[in-house]
């Protein structure tokens, strides 16, 4: 019964195709085959509920101001391969929100607009192989939130910038084989990306010395890049800070560590430098005070009584011997002031003057 039913459905679809006059063949699963019919536009008489449409090997004319397919909201698979369409207008497929697979192989595409695939948030597979893409602006991937497989094989790609590689990092499967890659220093980001992806069979075309070699197997020297080798200390941010306080200059050690780990060492050094400077200042100040105190520390001169003729008694007895030594030194020099003549030595002169006066 089931085969008979299927045969009946197919017969009805074929009869419907003959009646409506379009050349596509339909099956019971909602698949429409319009391949190789020299079509310039998709047949408008196709059922709206079809899920798969093959328009390959036709002569489709891409619309500029409207979408390509207007009336197929349930379409999940679309094959447009081997149609000549060098450029794709923005939002060409914007009404195909349920689309999972889009085949644009062998279409001679030279460039892609950023909004070419706008509205294809559910697209899983995008086939762009065997086209003429040279400078690939991978920002066209931004609307493709669910893209899993991207096929860019056999285009005219010679290099890939870092921004494009970062965008393609979100796509699990990317095919880049068969492009004429130039393996110079500009290919270094691509080489690192391929190594990270463990991709194989992506080979160089030029220069001749590297032709046929896998890019992922090369290193920076093979690509002609002169990498600067830095020591571990140079890799960290080296900073030298000069602290000057009280005419004392100290130079810090280079800051080591990563990021913010160097600031504790910097703070510790600054605190140490300030502490040492303060200690030096205090030591210099104490030395100056000691010197000034020593300059004011002297012995008072001995005072001689005008009547008693002996040195005046002092409450402290530490300088009594020194005063006597000074007096002996003055006697030795022969210079004795009148104030130091004893009264007993003045008495004979007085008596002699009195005797002369009495005479």
């Amino acid at each position: 019964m089931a085969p008979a039913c299927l045969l009946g459905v197919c017969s009805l679809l074929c009869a419907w195709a003959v009646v409506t006059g379009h050349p596509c063949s339909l099956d019971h699963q909602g698949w429409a085959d319009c391949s190789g019919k020299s079509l310039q536009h998709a047949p408008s008489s196709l059922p709206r509920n079809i899920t798969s449409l093959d328009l390959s090997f036709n002569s489709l004319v891409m619309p500029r101001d409207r979408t390509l397919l207007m009336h197929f909201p349930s379409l999940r698979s679309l094959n447009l391969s081997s149609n000549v369409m060098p450029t794709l207008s923005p939002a060409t497929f914007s009404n195909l929100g349920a689309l999972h697979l889009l085949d644009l192989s062998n279409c001679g595409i030279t460039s892609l607009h950023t909004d070419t695939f706008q509205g294809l948030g559910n697209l899983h597979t995008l086939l762009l192989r065997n086209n003429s893409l040279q400078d690939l602006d991978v920002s066209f991937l931004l609307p493709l939130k669910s893209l899993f497989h991207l096929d860019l094989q056999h285009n005219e790609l010679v290099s890939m910038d870092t921004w494009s590689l970062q965008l393609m990092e979100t796509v699990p499967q990317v095919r880049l084989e068969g492009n004429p890659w130039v393996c110079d220093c500009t290919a270094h980001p691509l080489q690192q990306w391929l190594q990270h992806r463990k991709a194989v069979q992506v080979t160089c075309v030029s220069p001749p010395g590297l032709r046929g070699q896998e890019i992922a197997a090369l290193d920076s020297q093979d690509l002609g890049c002169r990498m600067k080798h830095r020591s571990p200390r140079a890799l960290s941010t080296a900073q030298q800070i000069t602290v000057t306080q009280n005419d004392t200059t100290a130079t810090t050690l280079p800051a080591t560590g990563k990021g913010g780990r160097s600031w504790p060492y910097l703070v510790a050094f600054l605190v140490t430098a300030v502490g040492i400077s303060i200690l030096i200042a205090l030591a210099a100040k104490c030395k100056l005070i000691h010197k000034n105190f020593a300059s004011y520390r002297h012995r008072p001169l001995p005072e001689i009584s005008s009547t008693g003729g002996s040195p005046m008694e002092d409450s402290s007895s530490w300088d009594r011997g020194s005063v006597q030594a000074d007096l002996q030194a003055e006697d030795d020099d022969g210079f004795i002031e009148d104030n130091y003549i004893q009264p007993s030595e003045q008495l004979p002169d007085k008596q002699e003057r009195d005797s002369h006066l009495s005479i």
Side-chain angles (χ1 to χ4, degrees), residues 12 17 32 40 61 67 87 98 106 112 138 143 149 193 205 229 237 252 256 269 274 283 289 301 328 332 336-337 352:
L12 289 175
Q40 293 184 349
V61 177
T67 59
T87 59
N106 298 292
L112 293 172
V138 192
H149 182 82
W193 188 85
V205 173
H229 299 282
T237 305
T252 65
T256 58
F269 177 81
V274 172
I289 293 174
L301 291 175
Q328 292 177 358
D332 293 338
I336 301 175
E337 295 181 0
E352 185 178 358

Side-chain angles (χ1 to χ4, degrees), residues 120-140:
L120 300 183
N122 292 315
L123 191 65
H124 180 275
T125 302
L126 177 59
L127 305 179
L128 291 169
R129 60 176 176 261
N130 295 313
N131 283 289
S132 300
L133 295 170
Q134 296 181 358
D135 298 326
L136 189 62
D137 184 5
V138 192
S139 56
F140 71 85

Side-chain angles (χ1 to χ4, degrees), residues 13-289:
L13 289 174
C14 292
W16 178 82
V18 172
V19 171
T20 55
H22 68 74
C24 302
S25 60
L26 302 173
D27 66 0
H28 65 283
Q29 296 180 348
W31 181 78
D33 184 5
C34 303
S35 176
K37 305 300 181 179
S38 300
L39 298 175
Q40 293 184 349
H41 304 282
S44 59
S45 56
L46 289 173
R48 293 174 58 89
N49 61 347
I50 60 174
T51 58
S52 180
L53 177 59
D54 186 356
L55 289 171
S56 60
F57 295 96
N58 283 286
S59 301
L60 297 178
V61 177
M62 301 301 294
R64 293 186 177 181
D65 301 328
R66 60 184 179 87
T67 59
L68 176 63
L69 301 172
M70 296 292 295
H71 307 293
F72 305 101
S74 301
L75 200 62
R76 296 172 62 87
S77 175
L78 177 60
N79 186 358
L80 298 175
S81 63
S82 299
N83 284 275
V84 179
M85 47 182 75
T87 59
L88 296 175
S89 302
T92 302
F93 311 100
S94 60
N95 62 320
L96 303 176
L99 198 64
H100 280 202
L101 185 148
L102 178 59
D103 191 349
L104 294 171
S105 305
N106 298 292
C107 291
I109 301 174
T110 58
S111 62
L112 293 172
H113 193 273
T114 302
D115 298 326
T116 295
F117 304 109
Q118 182 179 358
L120 300 183
N122 292 315
L123 191 65
H124 180 275
T125 302
L126 177 59
L127 305 179
L128 291 169
R129 60 176 176 261
N130 295 313
N131 283 289
S132 300
L133 295 170
Q134 296 181 358
D135 298 326
L136 189 62
D137 184 5
V138 192
S139 56
F140 71 85
L141 294 174
L142 293 175
L144 306 177
K145 304 299 184 181
S146 302
L147 190 62
F148 183 86
H149 182 82
L150 174 63
D151 192 343
L152 293 170
Q153 296 181 87
H154 302 286
N155 277 272
E156 300 298 327
L157 300 174
V158 296
S159 63
M160 192 80 67
D161 57 26
T162 304
W163 165 246
S164 299
L165 293 171
Q166 289 177 351
L167 287 180
M168 289 196 303
E169 189 67 26
T170 61
V171 183
Q173 295 181 2
V174 180
R175 303 296 298 274
L176 297 174
E177 297 90 338
N179 287 279
W181 299 108
V182 176
C183 293
D184 56 11
C185 195
T186 58
H188 186 249
L190 176 62
Q191 176 250 350
Q192 291 184 323
W193 188 85
L194 292 173
Q195 287 180 345
H196 172 67
R197 286 294 189 100
K198 298 181 180 179
V200 296
Q201 299 180 356
V202 181
T203 58
C204 304
V205 173
S206 62
L210 298 177
R211 185 180 182 88
Q213 297 191 30
E214 292 189 5
I215 300 178
L218 303 176
D219 56 22
S220 58
Q221 294 180 354
D222 296 328
L223 297 175
C225 298
R226 295 181 178 179
M227 305 300 292
K228 295 181 179 180
H229 299 282
R230 298 181 179 180
S231 61
R233 177 173 294 183
L235 289 175
S236 62
T237 305
Q239 299 176 349
Q240 288 189 346
I241 302 173
T242 304
V243 180
T244 304
Q245 184 175 357
N246 294 331
D247 297 332
T248 302
T249 302
T251 303
T252 65
L253 294 175
T256 58
K258 296 182 179 180
R261 295 184 180 181
S262 61
W263 70 266
Y265 300 99
L266 178 60
V267 172
F269 177 81
L270 291 176
V271 172
T272 304
V274 172
I276 293 175
S277 301
I278 293 175
L279 291 176
I280 294 175
L282 291 176
K285 188 174 181 181
C286 292
K287 185 176 181 180
L288 182 61
I289 293 174

